[in-house]
Amino acid sequence: MSTRTAKALRTPGGLSIRYEPRAAVVAVLLTVLTVAAGVVLIGSGDFPIAPGDVVATLLGNGTMAQEFIVQDLRLPRVLVAVLVGASLGLGGAVFQSVSRNPLGSPDIIGFGQGATVGALTVIVLFGGSATAVAGGAVVGGVVTGVLIYLLAWKRGVHGFRLVLIGIGAAAMLTAVIHYLITKANLIDATRAVLWMTGTLDGRDWSQFWPLLAVFAVLVPLVLGHGRSLRMLEMGDDAAYALGVKVERTRLVLMGSAVLLVSVATAAAGPITFVSLSAPQLARRLTRSPGPNLAASALMGAALLLVADWAATNAFGERELPVGVVTGVVGGVYLLWLLVTERKAGRI
């Protein structure tokens, strides 16, 4: 969409908010889809509950059995899925905008693999608890982010160099992952492989609250830098001319995105391709220039909920980890994206 269709909403206090009608409509529709998918997912399972009864239970009008199933078992899983999907979608949008490359996704340029190495190190070498594994994933993702940033630095961080170094780092970290699995005993290896698949099974309030705390701090920070990120897409020189503190802004955004992806990985394991596809799909729907941060987050949440429903219900009695579904669908999307970019002469 052309920026000439953007409108401004002015408040009596003199505050002016610029928005684009199509992007706003897409955001509302994605919100509705996310809520609807969440209600359907809560009602799915061995004890099915109709959507109307799910809503009634959430409002406090369900039976004791329904309240236990909804409030204690299924609602936290759905809320974790929403936050994980939104974090991955938002993190992917930031990295694709900073690198100015649709392949600049955290799970392609090494950050997801770094979080996985951190988690597997705790599992294989220390036999840590679930909390320790989550902490290892966060530390691994953050350390990887710092190293890639430093290696990509040469009078600033430029997108092409960031993607190339990230892909190389991802290859080396994948080798480390394989090495750690070969070093593990059977029990730890089984635990590591299950974690690496990426799943929302068994997620409860203990995963939700830390994720919500990080989400509540970092999302406003990222959205508050949305205008500066949009200027960065025009190039460093143009951003400097428009008054953007380029390296400081890039560092804040990349640091926030690394933390979002790392915490999401710690909560649910490495769920692949959501951070790659969500920003691209959001941009195609809004037809709007810029990073489309809010739409990317909403798209990530909706994608993960739909994928989790498919993993739970689309294969009969055999429930799959959600990471298997996102991996298959995301792999097809990646092939399509590569073909499209090649035809356009961009790769």
Side-chain angles (χ1 to χ4, degrees):
M1 175 183 287
S2 171
T3 56
R4 290 177 293 181
T5 62
K7 297 183 179 180
L9 178 65
R10 293 179 174 83
T11 65
L15 178 65
S16 179
I17 302 174
R18 183 176 174 274
Y19 71 99
E20 296 177 4
R22 183 185 177 96
V25 170
V26 168
V28 171
L29 292 177
L30 287 174
T31 301
V32 171
L33 175 61
T34 300
V35 173
V39 170
V40 171
L41 188 57
I42 290 174
S44 303
D46 294 334
F47 188 89
I49 304 175
D53 292 334
V54 171
V55 174
T57 303
L58 290 173
L59 295 176
N61 298 319
T63 65
M64 290 184 62
Q66 289 174 338
E67 288 184 0
F68 172 73
I69 293 172
V70 170
Q71 301 285 354
D72 295 337
L73 299 181
R74 296 179 183 173
L75 179 60
R77 171 176 175 151
V78 167
L79 293 178
V80 168
V82 169
L83 294 183
V84 168
S87 298
L88 293 175
L90 187 59
V94 169
F95 276 108
Q96 290 179 26
S97 294
V98 167
S99 64
R100 286 181 281 174
N101 191 319
L103 296 178
S105 173
D107 48 7
I108 290 180
I109 60 176
F111 301 107
Q113 290 85 348
T116 301
V117 168
L120 294 194
T121 299
V122 173
I123 293 173
V124 175
L125 300 184
F126 303 104
S129 64
T131 302
V133 172
V138 174
V139 172
V142 171
V143 170
T144 301
V146 171
L147 291 177
I148 290 177
Y149 185 88
L150 293 176
L151 290 172
W153 175 272
K154 185 178 180 181
R155 295 189 297 275
V157 175
H158 301 284
F160 187 68
R161 189 184 305 122
L162 177 67
V163 172
L164 286 179
I165 291 175
I167 291 174
M172 290 187 292
L173 290 168
T174 300
V176 174
I177 291 170
H178 293 159
Y179 171 75
L180 287 172
I181 292 177
T182 62
K183 292 285 291 183
N185 59 44
L186 181 60
I187 295 176
D188 287 341
T190 302
R191 184 183 175 197
V193 171
L194 286 175
W195 188 89
M196 286 172 55
T197 305
T199 181
L200 294 165
D201 188 37
R203 296 306 180 263
D204 55 27
W205 295 110
S206 64
Q207 283 90 26
F208 170 73
W209 293 116
L211 187 58
L212 178 63
V214 174
F215 192 83
V217 172
L218 294 181
V219 170
L221 180 63
V222 173
L223 294 180
H225 285 78
R227 183 172 178 270
S228 298
L229 181 59
R230 189 167 182 166
M231 293 178 183
L232 282 176
E233 289 187 340
M234 297 185 293
D236 288 3
D237 292 339
Y240 272 122
L242 292 170
V244 177
K245 297 179 180 179
V246 172
E247 289 306 326
R248 176 183 171 184
T249 300
R250 186 182 285 124
L251 182 61
V252 169
L253 287 167
M254 289 182 63
S256 299
V258 167
L259 282 172
L260 282 170
V261 172
S262 299
V263 172
T265 303
I271 297 176
T272 56
F273 290 115
V274 173
S275 55
L276 170 70
S277 57
Q280 294 295 313
L281 293 174
R283 180 170 293 191
R284 282 172 169 78
L285 286 177
T286 62
R287 299 180 186 173
S288 174
N292 289 278
L293 296 176
S296 297
L298 290 169
M299 178 62 75
L303 280 178
L304 193 54
L305 284 175
V306 173
D308 194 34
W309 179 89
T312 305
N313 299 278
F315 301 93
E317 297 181 356
R318 187 169 186 177
E319 181 177 336
L320 296 178
V322 67
V324 173
V325 176
T326 61
V328 172
V329 176
V332 173
Y333 178 82
L334 177 59
L335 290 175
W336 175 84
L337 180 63
L338 290 172
V339 171
T340 303
E341 292 293 303
R342 183 175 184 275
K343 288 182 177 180
R346 289 189 285 267
I347 60 174

